[in-house]
Amino acid sequence: MSDRRIGVYICHCGGNISDYVAVERVREAVEHEEGVVVAKTTMFACSDASQEEMIEDIREQKLDGMVVASCSPTLHLLTFRGVAERAGLNPYRYVQVNLREQCSWAHTDLPQEATEKAVHLVKAGIAKARLSQSLEKIRIETVPRALVVGAGVAGLRAALALSDLGISVFVAEKSERVGGWLGEFGDTYPHGRSGSGLVDELLKDLEQRENVQIYTEAELVSKSGSVGDFTVELRVKGEPITLNVGSIIVATGFTPYQPEEGEYGYGEDGVVTLPEFVRLLEQCDGQLTYQGRPVKQVAYIYCVGSRDQSGERGHPYCSRYCCNAAVHASSLAHELSPEIHQFHLYRDMRTYGKFELLYMNARKQGALFVRFNEEALPEVSRNDGRLHVKVKDMLTAGEELDIEADLVVLVTGMEPRPNETLNDALKLPVGLDGFFKEIHPKLRPVETVIDGVFIAGAAQAPRNSAESAASALAAAAKTAALLKKGYVELEPLVAMVDAEACAWCGECLEACPYSAVSQASRDGKEIAEINTAVCKGCGACVPVCPRDALQVKGYEDQQVRAMIEALGSAR
Amino acid sequence: MIKVDAAFIERVTSDPEFNATACMNCGVCTAVCPMEIELLPRKLFRYAMLGLKDKVLEHTESVYQCLLCKMCEANCGADVHIADNVRCLRGYISKEIFGL
């Protein structure tokens, strides 16, 4: 007989469960289970009154285990762990059984069978609770310093924000100069301020701060430790430097798409990419000229290297910034030489939000927009010494046009910047598009699966400078939320090694997706060691161990076995 | 294949009255036209703006059919002065083609 004292609460969920599962019958079926001293049904287990009742029961009945059979743990696991904690019961002695999503909602047409299934699910929960143990959260003291990788607009803005929040910042920039792409630009939209001016402003502010240290020609070569307490090794101008930081923000930016030789005539005299054209505009004084010749007609071809579903001419994604940048460049060109004719050959104008004004401005200045179809891409050729762009204009129902041009501008998109050393060191997940991947684009947009490592700017996805700065601020806020508290608490549901059984074969090291396993010597014996701060308790190491030396706390073999037995037991 | 004629574009669009570049091709003008002139005005302006001179001249009759009632202009979402633009084209055709 078990000497455990378990309380079981079965929730109606206001009918969500009780309309299909006879909750009273479930209660009757489990109230005499081994170790159960309290078995109740409740209309809403999550209600205040119900929570108070549970707290009273835990205290009066001296419960040492609790089961709530209600909804998904995603919704209320933390609620009921909180109930246990408030009543003085270790929260890891609480077990949630999901009767709503996994039973009543799934079997609305079979109430009899649903009730039987509910009985088994609750019995399995009780079996787990009988073997539950008290666990303590893993507490890690955090280091109030952060490393920012990349000194473009995102990196610098993040550094400034962190400095403001009283967190010391190291910035590592791979190249010789800081400022990234924005630092090279003149006029930027929509405010008309110069990119280099904006970067200078940021740098001037950063220079006055004692808690910011910027390294140029610096590369991150390795990272160890865990959230709140990383040790990173940089190579700065060839010299190794070791830093101890609490978090890392990766803002390594993008690289512009480089068309292949011959792609829309690229390589021909007079065919340039958008970044090349923008540079040309900045160099021109008084009149738009290309290699000494005045430019009268400009043809832009959009979506070069972007939105190619076939995968033959670049990337399947939209690079987001290029429509805006191209219409802005068109306005700059018009201001330089108002007499020029500009033809924009586009697939879809994606001048989203307020950038619609840039588009309108370009149209009012006389730029012509010709829509082409993905099926019939424009062709660039050279006849009689002049560049010709042939295109089927969808807005005149497929009229084929032949546009002479002095300059053809290929509106190129963004590519992820290759960062092999960094990728090897950080092991950040990368999406199908090659950019760093966040946990959730809307709900957790700057966090990665590696706790304490955040992403910002165009390293994550194509975006403009303002959007990069905004994401940098989000990453800085997340970093501050992590480090300002002084410590982090992590789930104790992690893998543990049975030092006696382990004979170090390395299978678990191979299986671990989080690099939480390492080899260690203990009493003259080589065994596996788990970094509990890095382990996510996924359990990938457990089945691969040939000696059954690994277990995940809270999901030990005997617990899982007991649950299976309860599920399979006779009615 | 029609050649885009920059000189024609310049000739037509140089008239300060001509503001069809703001047209966003929505088609409201065509829908409300009491003369049911299918071509007018969005396609015509597009031909003019793209410098497709032959296409414009092909539709000379449509250009003169317009009543200049401004129904289209009252409904235009992009504030294009449609009637004035038609006058510009009539001016061009009268002068350059008919030699008036």
Side-chain angles (χ1 to χ4, degrees):
Chain A
M1 269 311 275
S2 168
D3 54 0
R4 295 296 292 260
R5 300 182 62 78
I6 299 168
V8 181
Y9 301 87
I10 300 155
C11 183
H12 285 248
C13 197
N16 276 298
I17 295 171
S18 56
D19 284 357
Y20 315 102
V21 170
V23 290
E24 193 52 41
R25 270 181 52 207
V26 177
R27 192 193 68 78
E28 284 164 14
V30 302
E31 67 178 334
H32 300 301
E33 281 290 293
E34 210 183 312
V36 175
V37 292
V38 176
K40 291 179 176 174
T41 60
T42 163
M43 186 50 77
F44 287 106
C46 54
S47 68
D48 249 10
S50 205
Q51 292 190 26
E52 285 309 313
E53 195 182 339
M54 289 177 201
I55 291 176
E56 225 166 84
D57 286 348
I58 292 169
R59 285 182 181 150
E60 282 175 12
Q61 300 287 334
K62 303 200 170 11
L63 299 184
D64 61 6
M66 180 167 84
V67 175
V68 176
S70 55
C71 51
S72 164
T74 312
L75 196 63
H76 277 316
L77 179 76
L78 295 181
T79 312
F80 296 121
R81 271 191 189 166
V83 169
E85 210 159 13
R86 294 206 298 281
L89 175 67
N90 186 285
Y92 296 93
R93 288 178 175 253
Y94 163 67
V95 176
Q96 183 144 351
V97 175
N98 185 354
L99 281 195
R100 195 177 69 180
E101 282 84 345
Q102 292 180 355
C103 191
S104 64
W105 279 356
H107 309 294
T108 51
D109 50 343
L110 298 166
Q112 181 66 31
E113 286 82 349
T115 302
E116 280 171 29
K117 178 175 170 181
V119 170
H120 282 93
L121 288 171
V122 177
K123 282 184 177 175
I126 295 167
K128 185 169 192 280
R130 264 201 301 267
L131 295 167
S132 63
Q133 290 170 5
S134 294
L135 298 172
E136 293 307 322
K137 285 195 167 162
I138 300 164
R139 191 182 152 114
I140 293 169
E141 306 295 322
T142 55
V143 178
R145 290 185 289 272
L147 171 71
V148 176
V149 186
V153 62
L156 294 177
R157 191 65 192 86
L160 190 60
L162 287 170
S163 165
D164 277 344
L165 290 162
I167 292 170
S168 299
V169 198
F170 302 103
V171 182
E173 166 59 44
K174 197 156 116 184
S175 69
E176 289 170 16
R177 49 166 282 279
V178 294
W181 293 104
L182 187 65
E184 293 181 13
F185 290 145
D187 270 8
T188 55
Y189 56 86
H191 36 63
R193 293 173 63 185
S194 93
S196 53
L198 289 170
V199 166
D200 287 345
E201 217 171 282
L202 277 174
L203 285 175
K204 218 171 119 192
D205 204 343
L206 283 170
E207 270 167 19
Q208 292 165 5
R209 288 158 195 263
E210 284 174 2
N211 60 354
V212 178
Q213 169 79 43
I214 300 177
Y215 298 107
T216 51
E217 293 176 70
E219 237 185 322
L220 194 159
V221 280
S222 74
K223 179 211 81 178
S224 58
S226 60
V227 52
D229 191 5
F230 291 111
T231 302
V232 290
E233 200 189 312
L234 302 184
R235 198 177 298 126
V236 182
K237 299 187 171 86
E239 298 293 315
I241 289 183
T242 307
L243 301 173
N244 182 211
V245 294
S247 101
I248 301 171
I249 296 177
V250 179
T252 48
F254 70 99
T255 185
Y257 174 77
Q258 197 56 30
E260 279 172 33
E261 196 79 11
E263 188 175 352
Y264 295 109
Y266 191 66
E268 287 265 1
D269 184 36
V271 182
V272 297
T273 64
L274 182 62
E276 288 163 359
F277 181 62
V278 170
R279 230 163 286 143
L280 179 72
L281 287 174
E282 276 156 22
Q283 286 158 5
C284 286
D285 198 16
Q287 198 196 7
L288 179 58
T289 55
Y290 178 70
Q291 305 205 332
R293 303 185 300 268
V295 173
K296 295 266 177 255
Q297 283 178 227
V298 185
Y300 299 78
I301 301 175
Y302 283 61
C303 293
V304 175
S306 297
R307 298 181 67 205
D308 173 38
Q309 306 297 335
S310 71
E312 288 161 16
R313 298 176 310 274
H315 306 288
Y317 53 82
C318 165
S319 286
R320 189 178 168 89
Y321 95 106
C322 7
C323 282
N324 306 324
V327 291
H328 177 246
S330 171
S331 288
L332 292 181
H334 176 83
E335 279 156 25
L336 203 58
S337 296
E339 74 288 353
I340 59 169
H341 293 282
Q342 305 195 69
F343 302 90
H344 293 257
L345 279 48
Y346 69 97
R347 263 175 70 189
D348 295 293
M349 283 314 289
R350 293 184 172 179
T351 47
Y352 55 92
K354 63 191 170 195
F355 301 124
E356 187 74 13
L357 295 174
L358 292 174
Y359 178 31
M360 195 169 76
N361 192 34
R363 286 204 314 270
K364 283 194 172 154
Q365 288 168 339
L368 273 171
F369 289 80
V370 176
R371 179 156 193 251
F372 67 85
N373 193 312
E374 192 188 355
E375 314 294 313
L377 297 174
E379 284 170 29
V380 180
S381 58
R382 186 175 280 284
N383 284 334
D384 325 319
R386 290 206 76 181
L387 284 167
H388 288 255
V389 185
K390 285 181 187 141
V391 63
K392 219 175 184 178
D393 175 32
M394 302 308 289
L395 299 182
T396 49
E399 216 66 76
E400 288 195 35
L401 310 179
D402 177 0
I403 302 167
E404 275 189 18
D406 304 303
L407 206 55
V408 174
V409 180
L410 305 184
V411 180
T412 47
M414 289 181 179
E415 271 186 346
R417 182 185 276 263
N419 285 308
E420 293 218 358
T421 331
L422 185 76
N423 291 3
D424 283 350
L426 293 183
K427 297 196 175 61
L428 277 183
V430 163
L432 285 176
D433 52 14
F435 290 94
F436 291 129
K437 200 167 160 58
E438 67 288 309
I439 289 182
H440 188 288
K442 289 189 171 62
L443 303 178
R444 298 174 75 182
V446 296
E447 291 163 81
T448 69
V449 293
I450 300 171
D451 289 336
V453 179
F454 305 100
I455 47 179
Q460 184 183 4
R463 49 176 62 134
N464 66 29
S465 53
E467 290 157 355
S468 290
S471 75
L473 292 177
K478 277 285 165 194
T479 300
L482 176 73
L483 301 183
K484 291 300 263 186
K485 200 168 146 198
Y487 63 94
V488 273
E489 282 188 328
L490 303 175
E491 281 285 319
L493 306 173
V494 294
M496 54 184 172
V497 182
D498 179 347
E500 253 169 59
C502 179
W504 181 254
C505 60
E507 291 280 346
C508 47
L509 178 92
E510 293 286 314
C512 180
Y514 302 102
S515 311
V517 182
S518 58
Q519 190 179 350
S521 292
R522 180 101 28 100
D523 304 330
K525 191 181 159 199
E526 292 300 297
I527 61 163
E529 192 174 63
I530 310 289
N531 181 347
T532 52
V534 178
C535 177
K536 299 254 180 186
C538 73
C541 54
V542 177
V544 300
C545 179
R547 290 170 162 258
D548 282 340
L550 286 151
Q551 301 261 357
V552 173
K553 281 187 194 165
Y555 296 91
E556 280 114 291
D557 286 356
Q558 53 164 346
Q559 266 182 314
V560 176
R561 238 177 253 129
M563 287 176 79
I564 295 170
E565 271 163 30
L567 285 169
S569 65
R571 283 163 202 173
Chain B
M1 188 73 57
I2 318 163
K3 220 169 159 190
V4 170
D5 184 345
F8 179 69
I9 300 177
E10 227 152 77
R11 173 70 179 78
V12 177
T13 57
S14 63
D15 194 317
E17 298 288 327
F18 193 88
N19 78 335
T21 47
C23 172
M24 56 185 174
N25 248 283
C26 66
V28 167
C29 49
T30 309
V32 300
C33 179
M35 290 295 284
E36 292 180 22
I37 306 171
E38 193 269 333
L39 183 80
L40 272 175
R42 62 169 173 153
K43 275 193 179 169
L44 179 68
F45 293 162
R46 190 138 181 95
Y47 288 146
M49 287 187 304
L50 284 173
L52 310 182
K53 187 176 165 187
D54 296 346
K55 278 278 171 188
V56 174
L57 297 182
E58 226 173 77
H59 294 94
T60 302
E61 203 167 311
S62 302
V63 175
Y64 286 91
Q65 260 175 4
C66 172
L67 298 174
L68 302 177
C69 72
K70 296 200 178 182
M71 182 74 116
C72 44
E73 217 173 292
N75 287 285
C76 178
D79 293 332
V80 178
H81 309 141
I82 301 173
D84 287 333
N85 292 345
V86 171
R87 280 203 193 93
C88 285
L89 286 176
R90 283 184 185 177
Y92 170 82
I93 296 171
S94 300
K95 200 184 274 173
E96 304 287 325
I97 309 301
F98 301 142
L100 295 171

PDB file of all heavy atoms in Angstrom, chain A residues 23-39:
ATOM      1  N   VAL A  23     -18.540  12.999 -15.222  1.00  0.00           N
ATOM      2  CA  VAL A  23     -17.451  13.284 -14.281  1.00  0.00           C
ATOM      3  C   VAL A  23     -17.686  12.630 -12.909  1.00  0.00           C
ATOM      4  O   VAL A  23     -16.737  12.217 -12.245  1.00  0.00           O
ATOM      5  CB  VAL A  23     -17.200  14.804 -14.132  1.00  0.00           C
ATOM      6  CG1 VAL A  23     -16.595  15.375 -15.385  1.00  0.00           C
ATOM      7  CG2 VAL A  23     -18.466  15.542 -13.798  1.00  0.00           C
ATOM      8  N   GLU A  24     -18.966  12.540 -12.498  1.00  0.00           N
ATOM      9  CA  GLU A  24     -19.255  11.915 -11.197  1.00  0.00           C
ATOM     10  C   GLU A  24     -18.843  10.441 -11.224  1.00  0.00           C
ATOM     11  O   GLU A  24     -18.279   9.915 -10.265  1.00  0.00           O
ATOM     12  CB  GLU A  24     -20.748  12.083 -10.873  1.00  0.00           C
ATOM     13  CG  GLU A  24     -21.117  11.766  -9.435  1.00  0.00           C
ATOM     14  CD  GLU A  24     -20.260  12.518  -8.401  1.00  0.00           C
ATOM     15  OE1 GLU A  24     -19.962  13.720  -8.584  1.00  0.00           O
ATOM     16  OE2 GLU A  24     -19.867  11.868  -7.416  1.00  0.00           O
ATOM     17  N   ARG A  25     -19.109   9.769 -12.365  1.00  0.00           N
ATOM     18  CA  ARG A  25     -18.706   8.351 -12.493  1.00  0.00           C
ATOM     19  C   ARG A  25     -17.195   8.212 -12.471  1.00  0.00           C
ATOM     20  O   ARG A  25     -16.645   7.261 -11.926  1.00  0.00           O
ATOM     21  CB  ARG A  25     -19.273   7.760 -13.790  1.00  0.00           C
ATOM     22  CG  ARG A  25     -20.669   7.150 -13.587  1.00  0.00           C
ATOM     23  CD  ARG A  25     -21.203   6.555 -14.862  1.00  0.00           C
ATOM     24  NE  ARG A  25     -20.265   5.631 -15.498  1.00  0.00           N
ATOM     25  CZ  ARG A  25     -20.236   5.377 -16.820  1.00  0.00           C
ATOM     26  NH1 ARG A  25     -21.084   5.984 -17.617  1.00  0.00           N
ATOM     27  NH2 ARG A  25     -19.371   4.506 -17.309  1.00  0.00           N
ATOM     28  N   VAL A  26     -16.519   9.168 -13.078  1.00  0.00           N
ATOM     29  CA  VAL A  26     -15.052   9.122 -13.058  1.00  0.00           C
ATOM     30  C   VAL A  26     -14.561   9.240 -11.617  1.00  0.00           C
ATOM     31  O   VAL A  26     -13.684   8.502 -11.164  1.00  0.00           O
ATOM     32  CB  VAL A  26     -14.453  10.247 -13.929  1.00  0.00           C
ATOM     33  CG1 VAL A  26     -12.929  10.237 -13.856  1.00  0.00           C
ATOM     34  CG2 VAL A  26     -14.911  10.126 -15.377  1.00  0.00           C
ATOM     35  N   ARG A  27     -15.174  10.177 -10.889  1.00  0.00           N
ATOM     36  CA  ARG A  27     -14.770  10.385  -9.493  1.00  0.00           C
ATOM     37  C   ARG A  27     -14.953   9.100  -8.682  1.00  0.00           C
ATOM     38  O   ARG A  27     -14.054   8.673  -7.954  1.00  0.00           O
ATOM     39  CB  ARG A  27     -15.592  11.513  -8.878  1.00  0.00           C
ATOM     40  CG  ARG A  27     -15.065  12.012  -7.534  1.00  0.00           C
ATOM     41  CD  ARG A  27     -16.058  12.880  -6.817  1.00  0.00           C
ATOM     42  NE  ARG A  27     -17.232  12.129  -6.372  1.00  0.00           N
ATOM     43  CZ  ARG A  27     -17.247  11.332  -5.295  1.00  0.00           C
ATOM     44  NH1 ARG A  27     -16.169  11.209  -4.548  1.00  0.00           N
ATOM     45  NH2 ARG A  27     -18.342  10.664  -4.974  1.00  0.00           N
ATOM     46  N   GLU A  28     -16.137   8.464  -8.880  1.00  0.00           N
ATOM     47  CA  GLU A  28     -16.414   7.214  -8.144  1.00  0.00           C
ATOM     48  C   GLU A  28     -15.409   6.131  -8.492  1.00  0.00           C
ATOM     49  O   GLU A  28     -15.001   5.333  -7.654  1.00  0.00           O
ATOM     50  CB  GLU A  28     -17.837   6.716  -8.462  1.00  0.00           C
ATOM     51  CG  GLU A  28     -18.902   7.514  -7.733  1.00  0.00           C
ATOM     52  CD  GLU A  28     -20.294   7.305  -8.334  1.00  0.00           C
ATOM     53  OE1 GLU A  28     -20.461   6.359  -9.129  1.00  0.00           O
ATOM     54  OE2 GLU A  28     -21.180   8.111  -8.022  1.00  0.00           O
ATOM     55  N   ALA A  29     -14.982   6.100  -9.765  1.00  0.00           N
ATOM     56  CA  ALA A  29     -14.069   5.054 -10.214  1.00  0.00           C
ATOM     57  C   ALA A  29     -12.654   5.218  -9.675  1.00  0.00           C
ATOM     58  O   ALA A  29     -11.901   4.253  -9.592  1.00  0.00           O
ATOM     59  CB  ALA A  29     -14.039   5.027 -11.752  1.00  0.00           C
ATOM     60  N   VAL A  30     -12.292   6.464  -9.290  1.00  0.00           N
ATOM     61  CA  VAL A  30     -10.908   6.664  -8.852  1.00  0.00           C
ATOM     62  C   VAL A  30     -10.769   6.941  -7.353  1.00  0.00           C
ATOM     63  O   VAL A  30      -9.669   6.953  -6.833  1.00  0.00           O
ATOM     64  CB  VAL A  30     -10.213   7.809  -9.637  1.00  0.00           C
ATOM     65  CG1 VAL A  30     -10.219   7.520 -11.127  1.00  0.00           C
ATOM     66  CG2 VAL A  30     -10.852   9.157  -9.331  1.00  0.00           C
ATOM     67  N   GLU A  31     -11.907   7.135  -6.658  1.00  0.00           N
ATOM     68  CA  GLU A  31     -11.776   7.591  -5.267  1.00  0.00           C
ATOM     69  C   GLU A  31     -11.136   6.553  -4.347  1.00  0.00           C
ATOM     70  O   GLU A  31     -10.584   6.908  -3.315  1.00  0.00           O
ATOM     71  CB  GLU A  31     -13.116   8.076  -4.701  1.00  0.00           C
ATOM     72  CG  GLU A  31     -14.150   6.984  -4.538  1.00  0.00           C
ATOM     73  CD  GLU A  31     -15.449   7.524  -3.934  1.00  0.00           C
ATOM     74  OE1 GLU A  31     -15.362   8.541  -3.228  1.00  0.00           O
ATOM     75  OE2 GLU A  31     -16.503   6.934  -4.182  1.00  0.00           O
ATOM     76  N   HIS A  32     -11.184   5.291  -4.775  1.00  0.00           N
ATOM     77  CA  HIS A  32     -10.561   4.277  -3.914  1.00  0.00           C
ATOM     78  C   HIS A  32      -9.218   3.811  -4.444  1.00  0.00           C
ATOM     79  O   HIS A  32      -8.666   2.811  -3.979  1.00  0.00           O
ATOM     80  CB  HIS A  32     -11.514   3.093  -3.731  1.00  0.00           C
ATOM     81  CG  HIS A  32     -12.814   3.492  -3.091  1.00  0.00           C
ATOM     82  ND1 HIS A  32     -12.864   4.075  -1.842  1.00  0.00           N
ATOM     83  CD2 HIS A  32     -14.084   3.467  -3.544  1.00  0.00           C
ATOM     84  CE1 HIS A  32     -14.125   4.371  -1.546  1.00  0.00           C
ATOM     85  NE2 HIS A  32     -14.889   4.016  -2.581  1.00  0.00           N
ATOM     86  N   GLU A  33      -8.693   4.523  -5.414  1.00  0.00           N
ATOM     87  CA  GLU A  33      -7.351   4.214  -5.927  1.00  0.00           C
ATOM     88  C   GLU A  33      -6.350   4.358  -4.786  1.00  0.00           C
ATOM     89  O   GLU A  33      -6.530   5.191  -3.881  1.00  0.00           O
ATOM     90  CB  GLU A  33      -6.967   5.167  -7.053  1.00  0.00           C
ATOM     91  CG  GLU A  33      -7.564   4.848  -8.403  1.00  0.00           C
ATOM     92  CD  GLU A  33      -6.976   3.600  -9.034  1.00  0.00           C
ATOM     93  OE1 GLU A  33      -5.784   3.618  -9.391  1.00  0.00           O
ATOM     94  OE2 GLU A  33      -7.719   2.593  -9.145  1.00  0.00           O
ATOM     95  N   GLU A  34      -5.280   3.570  -4.887  1.00  0.00           N
ATOM     96  CA  GLU A  34      -4.234   3.598  -3.877  1.00  0.00           C
ATOM     97  C   GLU A  34      -3.707   5.019  -3.658  1.00  0.00           C
ATOM     98  O   GLU A  34      -3.353   5.694  -4.622  1.00  0.00           O
ATOM     99  CB  GLU A  34      -3.101   2.721  -4.407  1.00  0.00           C
ATOM    100  CG  GLU A  34      -2.293   2.035  -3.352  1.00  0.00           C
ATOM    101  CD  GLU A  34      -1.163   1.261  -4.030  1.00  0.00           C
ATOM    102  OE1 GLU A  34      -1.450   0.539  -5.000  1.00  0.00           O
ATOM    103  OE2 GLU A  34      -0.021   1.429  -3.597  1.00  0.00           O
ATOM    104  N   GLY A  35      -3.682   5.442  -2.445  1.00  0.00           N
ATOM    105  CA  GLY A  35      -3.090   6.741  -2.115  1.00  0.00           C
ATOM    106  C   GLY A  35      -4.047   7.912  -2.211  1.00  0.00           C
ATOM    107  O   GLY A  35      -3.714   9.009  -1.773  1.00  0.00           O
ATOM    108  N   VAL A  36      -5.248   7.725  -2.777  1.00  0.00           N
ATOM    109  CA  VAL A  36      -6.170   8.849  -2.935  1.00  0.00           C
ATOM    110  C   VAL A  36      -6.926   9.077  -1.628  1.00  0.00           C
ATOM    111  O   VAL A  36      -7.545   8.159  -1.095  1.00  0.00           O
ATOM    112  CB  VAL A  36      -7.171   8.581  -4.082  1.00  0.00           C
ATOM    113  CG1 VAL A  36      -8.214   9.694  -4.153  1.00  0.00           C
ATOM    114  CG2 VAL A  36      -6.434   8.465  -5.408  1.00  0.00           C
ATOM    115  N   VAL A  37      -6.837  10.281  -1.091  1.00  0.00           N
ATOM    116  CA  VAL A  37      -7.558  10.585   0.133  1.00  0.00           C
ATOM    117  C   VAL A  37      -8.664  11.612  -0.090  1.00  0.00           C
ATOM    118  O   VAL A  37      -9.593  11.717   0.689  1.00  0.00           O
ATOM    119  CB  VAL A  37      -6.622  11.056   1.269  1.00  0.00           C
ATOM    120  CG1 VAL A  37      -5.728   9.905   1.731  1.00  0.00           C
ATOM    121  CG2 VAL A  37      -5.778  12.247   0.841  1.00  0.00           C
ATOM    122  N   VAL A  38      -8.521  12.405  -1.175  1.00  0.00           N
ATOM    123  CA  VAL A  38      -9.573  13.356  -1.523  1.00  0.00           C
ATOM    124  C   VAL A  38      -9.910  13.167  -2.990  1.00  0.00           C
ATOM    125  O   VAL A  38      -9.014  13.109  -3.822  1.00  0.00           O
ATOM    126  CB  VAL A  38      -9.109  14.825  -1.308  1.00  0.00           C
ATOM    127  CG1 VAL A  38     -10.189  15.796  -1.762  1.00  0.00           C
ATOM    128  CG2 VAL A  38      -8.726  15.076   0.140  1.00  0.00           C
ATOM    129  N   ALA A  39     -11.203  13.019  -3.313  1.00  0.00           N
ATOM    130  CA  ALA A  39     -11.612  12.951  -4.727  1.00  0.00           C
ATOM    131  C   ALA A  39     -12.862  13.794  -4.873  1.00  0.00           C
ATOM    132  O   ALA A  39     -13.883  13.511  -4.240  1.00  0.00           O
ATOM    133  CB  ALA A  39     -11.854  11.508  -5.149  1.00  0.00           C
TER     134      ALA A  39
END
